Amino acid sequence: MDEFWINDFDLSTLTPAQFSTFFFDRPIVEGVHATHKLFLGEFEAFAISPSNPAVMVANVQAMCRNFSELATIYSSEQLDQGLWAVFATVRCGQYLFDPAIDSRLRVDCVESMYLPFRDVVALRTANVKESFYWMWWDEILHDLYPVPKEYKYGYLTLTNDQSQMVETIFQTLSKILALDHLGCQICALHGLGHLYHPSSEKLAQGYLDEHRGEFSAEDVKWIEDCRDSTVQ
């Protein structure tokens, strides 16, 4: 691909359909070297600052709202590979915490992230820990500063905008946790482990009280870490 074109390319000029095609309509790369080239080579070139960050949020929202349809077009491997690029390489999640972008759009985008779990992940039988869905909320919350222990214990204070986004993420995780699918539930717990909310402990403890007998001692300890917002 022409280097000048890569450096000039602006992801926020894409329509929602073009955005999904750009990330998902790609062959699966195999091997460490190929993966490195895809995610740290070509895709990193697109991680430049877009001219219109609000469009990035709107395109991620559209992607989530249409995720069940995308799952009929692309393989699970293509979806997984593309999601890694969207959230872990280009880091589209960072725009969810940008107060310069309309808060209603950002809230709606987070709320739409329930749909991939309800419509696609809840139908999976494969180990969710071997997919991006396991890391979905980890990657998004990586872009929230401060980290949980800093605002949990009052070392730093969230802005009103950050508090609103934390509330929205918590409510979305609560809905995912309520899905009758273990993979969705542990993804939600993983997200809670990287978030602090006044009701996090009660929610995670309630889940543990109900399902303790289904988990090993090691798993119980991990859920307790999620409850305490101390997952690494």
Side-chain angles (χ1 to χ4, degrees):
M1 188 176 291
D2 183 81
E3 183 177 352
F4 178 80
W5 185 82
I6 289 178
N7 291 338
D8 268 19
F9 187 70
D10 183 346
L11 277 172
S12 66
T13 63
L14 299 179
T15 65
Q18 290 170 335
F19 182 88
S20 293
T21 299
F22 177 83
F23 283 104
F24 299 125
D25 191 11
R26 294 173 177 271
I28 302 301
V29 297
E30 301 289 348
V32 174
H33 177 72
T35 302
H36 178 84
K37 183 177 180 180
L38 175 63
F39 291 115
L40 298 183
E42 179 183 348
F43 272 122
E44 191 169 77
F46 299 116
I48 59 175
S49 298
S51 61
N52 191 344
V55 171
M56 301 291 281
V57 178
N59 283 345
V60 170
Q61 179 188 36
M63 177 193 77
C64 292
R65 286 180 170 177
N66 297 324
F67 207 74
S68 60
E69 179 180 352
L70 294 173
T72 68
I73 300 172
Y74 304 109
S75 68
S76 59
E77 292 81 8
Q78 286 176 303
L79 292 177
D80 202 61
Q81 179 176 264
L83 287 171
W84 276 108
V86 170
F87 291 114
T89 304
V90 178
R91 305 213 68 84
C92 290
Q94 66 183 297
Y95 305 115
L96 297 174
F97 304 107
D98 183 349
I101 300 173
D102 181 69
S103 62
R104 186 66 256 171
L105 173 61
R106 291 181 286 124
V107 166
D108 287 348
C109 183
V110 170
E111 291 177 342
S112 75
M113 292 180 183
Y114 167 71
L115 299 176
F117 289 89
R118 185 196 69 183
D119 298 339
V120 176
V121 183
L123 304 179
R124 286 173 58 96
T125 57
N127 185 352
V128 74
K129 290 186 178 181
E130 296 177 357
S131 72
F132 176 78
Y133 305 108
W134 167 247
M135 293 295 293
W136 186 301
W137 299 99
D138 187 325
E139 292 294 342
I140 285 177
L141 289 165
H142 180 80
D143 288 312
L144 172 63
Y145 179 80
V147 297
K149 67 179 181 181
E150 293 176 322
Y151 60 91
K152 178 178 181 179
Y153 297 109
Y155 301 126
L156 294 171
T157 303
L158 295 178
T159 66
N160 290 338
D161 185 83
Q162 289 173 325
S163 295
Q164 180 183 29
M165 297 312 298
V166 165
E167 177 67 30
T168 303
I169 292 172
F170 174 77
Q171 295 299 333
T172 304
L173 290 173
S174 299
K175 290 178 63 179
I176 296 171
L177 186 63
L179 292 170
D180 186 20
H181 184 270
L182 178 60
C184 292
Q185 293 166 359
I186 64 173
C187 287
L189 289 167
H190 190 192
L192 290 172
H194 292 280
L195 179 81
Y196 173 69
H197 182 276
S199 298
S200 293
E201 294 182 13
K202 180 179 180 180
L203 179 65
Q205 185 61 51
Y207 177 87
L208 183 57
D209 291 343
E210 182 178 353
H211 298 279
R212 182 183 295 268
E214 303 167 24
F215 294 100
S216 67
E218 182 180 1
D219 289 337
V220 168
K221 175 61 171 63
W222 176 79
I223 295 172
E224 290 173 341
D225 289 341
C226 293
R227 175 198 64 195
D228 298 335
S229 306
T230 56
V231 169
Q232 298 300 315

